[in-house]
Amino acid sequence: VADTLGAVLAASALFAGEIKLARGVSVQLKSRGPLSLVFAECTDRGQLRGVARYDERAHALRHGLEGIGSDALLAITMENPATEQRHQGLVPLDAPTLDAAFESYFARSEQLPTAIKLVTRGGHCAGMLVQQIAAQGGQSSVDPEFERVAMLFRTLTD
């Protein structure tokens, strides 16, 4: 539970730093499984908070997404201070790892090729993000240079 919460906290901080127009970014994993909720929020000022809800079976969860449940959803919400509106992307959480789930989210919801690496160990969390810059008018395909950088990025170890 702590590792999953740490990874989601690291991801929300990465996304808040990446999305300059947002007042804050929140990341939520929700399901009916033993780990029913993981929520993290990072503001544009770098304030970070998170919470996880789980039952007694959650202590046996292995690192990964096995205990979140097959009905799990991933939501990322961004607050835009200019319009005072929120944008939320919602996708099924159907990836084997959180890294892959966030990459899938950006591919599906934002159409931005993304590579992400999240690490939790000993009460610490960290992450790195590489993302293709969208072309003017929106991105239509993955740039070969991004593919090369992402391939090298994925060779990183914890």
Side-chain angles (χ1 to χ4, degrees), residues 11-74:
S12 68
L14 284 171
F15 303 154
E18 182 68 20
I19 304 165
K20 303 294 184 208
L21 301 177
R23 174 178 291 144
V25 174
S26 65
V27 176
Q28 181 176 346
L29 309 177
K30 189 172 182 176
S31 81
R32 288 184 228 141
L35 182 56
S36 60
L37 175 71
V38 180
F39 174 85
E41 178 181 48
C42 187
T43 68
D44 59 348
R45 294 183 185 154
Q47 297 168 321
L48 190 61
R49 67 185 179 120
V51 65
R53 279 195 206 133
Y54 57 95
D55 67 20
E56 292 82 38
R57 294 174 290 168
H59 69 80
L61 294 176
R62 290 185 304 267
H63 187 68
L65 302 179
E66 299 90 11
I68 292 184
S70 61
D71 66 331
L73 294 174
L74 167 62

Side-chain angles (χ1 to χ4, degrees), residues 105-148:
Y105 167 85
F106 280 103
R108 290 179 184 179
S109 185
E110 305 296 325
Q111 290 81 45
L112 283 175
T114 302
I116 188 166
K117 176 76 172 165
L118 301 168
V119 178
T120 57
R121 184 174 294 131
H124 299 281
C125 59
M128 292 180 69
L129 174 106
V130 175
Q131 195 168 60
Q132 181 172 315
I133 298 173
Q136 189 173 9
Q139 188 62 43
S140 59
S141 64
V142 179
D143 184 291
E145 187 63 19
F146 174 80
E147 287 179 341
R148 186 181 77 75

